[in-house]
């Protein structure tokens, strides 16, 4: 993504930024304010979407969530836990997630804005 990719001959949108030397540039760059969003999306794809451990698959749970009318709050909690702690499940198996309820409220607000509110199963 940055200087490391450019130095290795790979395409890089940020060839002059050395993320290893200055990781704070992700949140602190005035010139490239989009880096925080890009880093977040990269983390989501690498960590959450590919999560498949201990009999739990994020993608399979996503399908259950959508097909079940998007009313399964545990799905939202598990996604938060995977992102923050690298685990899923109840509190005996995985740490509580900081800001979990606020994150769930924000998720539901966004779903409502996109008119993708929870629906009753048909």
């Amino acid at each position: 993504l940055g200087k490391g990719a450019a130095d290795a001959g790979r395409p890089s949108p940020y060839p002059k930024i050395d993320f290893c030397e200055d990781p704070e540039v992700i949140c602190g760059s005035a010139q490239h304010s989009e880096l925080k969003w890009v880093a977040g999306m990269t983390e989501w794809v690498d960590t959450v979407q590919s999560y498949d451990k201990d009999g739990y698959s994020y993608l399979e749970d996503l399908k259950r969530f959508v097909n079940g009318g998007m009313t399964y709050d545990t799905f939202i909690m598990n996604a938060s836990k995977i992102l923050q702690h690298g685990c899923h499940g109840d509190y005996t198996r995985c740490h509580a997630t900081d800001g979990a309820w606020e994150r769930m409220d924000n998720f539901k607000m966004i779903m409502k804005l996109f008119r993708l509110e929870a629906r009753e199963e048909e």
Side-chain angles (χ1 to χ4, degrees), residues 97-110:
T97 303
D98 297 332
W101 297 108
E102 181 182 357
R103 187 173 293 110
M104 186 178 301
D105 289 344
N106 289 338
F107 180 87
K108 289 177 179 181
M109 178 185 64
I110 290 167

Side-chain angles (χ1 to χ4, degrees), residues 33-44:
S33 59
E34 76 280 3
L35 283 175
K36 190 172 183 179
W37 186 86
V38 169
M41 289 301 294
T42 300
E43 181 76 11
W44 182 264

Side-chain angles (χ1 to χ4, degrees), residues 85-105:
H85 302 294
C87 58
H88 70 282
D90 62 27
Y91 294 110
T92 61
R93 294 182 45 191
C94 190
H95 308 292
T97 303
D98 297 332
W101 297 108
E102 181 182 357
R103 187 173 293 110
M104 186 178 301
D105 289 344

